[in-house]
């Protein structure tokens, strides 16, 4: 039975004989002590409030740490682990808050203002996210960029300071976003930045083919020829062709042709892989591939025949640009 005295805010509880003292105290700790009520339990109260409270706190500590009594040393270690976890969680929340603020920005000015305000707190991944968000918003602000071509100077300088600390995904995403902004807004980005991105791109160890594709696409899209980078990526591309998909393969040969970088071994290996996977090629992939081979003067007969057969079966999916590039390529070779 349970009776509540409204004047003193106390509980008088009677428990069934089958419940142990430990279960009683744990029940009280979890359900009553946290509400700061004075507890009076029949059969276990000593009449000393301090003693009762200390006993309850001891059982509360045991319950939090797994239900077994710990010595002071073990208890302190548990407390230190808990405090460290709270610190790590706070750091994570702080970082997430910066990312969330960047995500909520609606203009380029907002992004740059946020970058300036939190510059000392930003990690490489945050800088990469700034570029990524800017690449989404710049299309509506092309006039602003063209009127003020130095708008991105603070963000570029910050990127140069932190570029050596970028993780591979952050480096790839940043390079890709900068290329989209540069080509889309028709502005030139400082050559120093492209040089730094090239040097860090060459240091990538075992990059995924998609990452290679995005980096090479970025340099080709802004017509920035980096012979050392393209030469360094060729062996890595050849070694991963077995797992490559048609989109990445087509974009890579397009990038080499766009900057006019010759690499015979890569084009030969790519043609063999393309023939074996020609059924997976869509109209855009086929048009880009034949255009690249024709531009570089690689008239691989087997590849062109395989693509012609596949193109006929999918001719209804070709756009006017796809048809134009394909016809030009076959005429060129």
């Amino acid at each position: 039975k349970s009776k509540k005295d409204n004047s003193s805010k106390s509980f008088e509880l009677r428990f069934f004989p089958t419940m142990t003292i430990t279960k009683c105290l744990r029940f009280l700790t979890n359900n009553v002590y946290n509400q700061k009520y004075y507890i009076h339990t029949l059969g276990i109260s000593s009449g000393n409030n301090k003693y009762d409270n200390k006993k309850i706190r001891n059982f509360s500590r045991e319950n939090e740490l797994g239900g077994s009594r710990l010595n002071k040393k073990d208890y302190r270690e548990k407390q230190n682990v808990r405090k460290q976890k709270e610190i790590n969680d706070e750091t994570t929340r702080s970082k997430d808050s910066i990312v969330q603020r960047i995500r909520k920005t609606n203009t380029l000015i907002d992004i740059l203002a946020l970058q300036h305000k939190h510059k000392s707190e930003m990690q490489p991944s945050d800088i990469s996210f700034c570029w990524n968000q800017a690449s989404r918003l710049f299309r509506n602000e092309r006039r602003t960029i063209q009127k003020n071509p130095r708008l991105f100077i603070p963000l570029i300088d910050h990127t140069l300071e932190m570029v050596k600390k970028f993780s591979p995904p952050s480096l790839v995403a940043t390079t890709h976003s900068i290329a989209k902004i540069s080509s889309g807004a028709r502005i030139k980005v400082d050559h120093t930045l492209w040089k730094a991105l090239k040097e860090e791109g060459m240091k990538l160890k075992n990059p995924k083919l998609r990452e290679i594709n995005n980096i090479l696409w970025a340099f080709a899209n802004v017509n920035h020829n980096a012979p050392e980078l393209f030469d360094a990526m060729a062996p890595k591309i050849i070694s991963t062709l077995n797992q490559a998909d048609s989109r990445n393969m087509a974009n890579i040969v397009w990038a080499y042709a766009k900057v006019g970088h010759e690499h015979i071994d890569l084009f030969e290996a790519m043609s063999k892989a393309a023939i074996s996977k020609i059924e997976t090629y869509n109209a855009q992939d086929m048009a880009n591939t034949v255009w690249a081979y024709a531009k570089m003067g690689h008239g691989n007969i087997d590849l062109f025949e395989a693509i012609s057969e596949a193109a006929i079966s999918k001719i209804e999916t070709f756009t006017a640009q796809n048809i134009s590039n394909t016809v030009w390529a076959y005429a060129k070779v």
Side-chain angles (χ1 to χ4, degrees):
K1 297 180 181 179
S2 176
K3 297 180 179 179
K4 182 176 179 181
D5 186 352
N6 293 328
S7 61
S8 61
K9 294 185 178 180
S10 64
F11 282 103
E12 180 180 357
L13 303 174
R14 292 180 181 274
F15 297 91
F16 290 99
T18 54
M19 295 183 66
T20 63
I21 298 297
T22 301
K23 291 182 179 179
C24 292
L25 288 173
R26 284 184 182 161
F27 169 80
L28 294 169
T29 299
N30 294 334
N31 297 278
V32 183
Y33 180 70
N34 292 334
Q35 300 178 22
K36 298 182 180 180
Y37 288 126
Y38 171 74
I39 302 172
H40 177 73
T41 54
L42 296 179
I44 62 172
S45 174
S46 65
N48 186 340
N49 294 350
K50 294 183 178 179
Y51 175 80
D52 291 341
N53 291 338
K54 182 177 180 181
K55 183 184 294 185
I56 291 168
R57 283 197 299 271
N58 288 339
F59 274 91
S60 177
R61 185 178 71 180
E62 292 176 17
N63 193 44
E64 288 179 4
L65 301 177
S68 60
R69 186 177 293 278
L70 303 175
N71 57 40
K72 290 184 178 180
K73 182 179 179 181
D74 293 338
Y75 179 69
R76 288 172 182 170
E77 290 179 357
K78 289 283 187 179
Q79 290 287 59
N80 290 336
V81 171
R82 179 185 298 174
K83 289 180 180 179
Q84 186 60 43
K85 183 179 178 181
E86 291 176 356
I87 293 173
N88 294 339
D89 292 343
E90 184 64 28
T91 303
T92 302
R93 284 194 295 271
S94 177
K95 182 178 180 180
D96 290 343
S97 65
I98 294 177
V99 173
Q100 291 297 331
R101 291 175 187 176
I102 297 172
R103 184 176 284 112
K104 292 179 181 179
T105 55
N106 296 318
T107 65
L108 296 176
I109 300 299
D110 292 341
I111 297 173
L112 297 173
L114 192 64
Q115 178 266 335
H116 177 73
K117 181 178 180 180
H118 297 281
K119 182 177 180 180
S120 60
E121 306 171 27
M122 281 191 168
Q123 300 297 319
S125 58
D126 299 326
I127 301 172
S128 176
F129 197 78
C130 283
W131 282 111
N132 183 269
Q133 184 72 355
S135 68
R136 298 175 182 175
L137 300 176
F138 84 94
R139 297 186 184 280
N140 296 328
E141 300 187 56
R142 290 179 181 176
R143 292 184 180 180
T144 303
I145 298 173
Q146 291 170 358
K147 289 181 180 179
N148 186 9
R150 297 176 61 84
L151 183 67
F152 290 100
I153 293 297
L155 186 55
I156 290 174
D157 291 341
H158 196 184
T159 305
L160 285 170
E161 292 175 10
M162 303 288 287
V163 69
K164 292 185 178 180
K165 299 180 181 180
F166 275 48
S167 65
S170 295
L171 179 67
V172 172
T174 300
T175 307
H176 193 265
S177 297
I178 293 173
K180 285 178 65 177
I181 296 171
S182 179
S183 61
R186 298 180 181 179
I187 59 171
K188 291 184 178 181
V189 178
D190 189 0
H191 179 76
T192 307
L193 179 59
W194 286 114
K195 182 180 179 181
L197 294 172
K198 177 196 72 174
E199 291 175 353
E200 295 305 313
M202 292 174 62
K203 296 178 183 178
L204 292 177
K205 296 181 179 179
N206 302 321
K208 298 178 181 178
L209 195 64
R210 182 178 179 181
E211 294 175 338
I212 297 174
N213 170 30
N214 286 339
I215 287 182
L216 297 182
W217 177 90
F219 279 83
N221 202 39
V222 295
N223 293 315
H224 188 89
N225 191 7
E228 301 89 350
L229 176 64
F230 281 77
D231 283 337
M233 290 299 180
K236 299 176 182 179
I237 296 169
I238 294 172
S239 64
T240 59
L241 285 179
N242 291 334
Q243 295 82 31
D245 59 33
S246 60
R247 177 60 57 85
N248 287 326
M249 291 169 59
N251 287 344
I252 286 172
V253 293
W254 175 89
Y256 274 82
K258 185 74 163 55
V259 297
H261 188 84
E262 180 70 48
H263 201 290
I264 297 175
D265 293 340
L266 173 65
F267 274 78
E268 289 181 355
M270 194 72 78
S271 63
K272 293 179 181 178
I275 293 171
S276 64
K277 301 178 181 182
I278 197 63
E279 294 180 357
T280 63
Y281 274 58
N282 60 26
Q284 184 68 52
D285 298 336
M286 288 186 279
N288 285 349
T289 300
V290 293
W291 179 89
Y293 274 81
K295 186 176 184 298
M296 297 302 295
H298 290 283
N300 189 299
I301 297 176
D302 295 335
L303 175 63
F304 275 76
E305 288 182 353
I307 289 179
S308 65
E309 293 178 3
I312 292 173
S313 63
K314 299 179 181 179
I315 194 63
E316 294 180 355
T317 63
F318 276 65
T319 64
Q321 187 64 52
N322 295 152
I323 295 174
S324 175
N325 289 345
T326 304
V327 171
W328 176 88
Y330 277 86
K332 186 80 166 63
V333 298

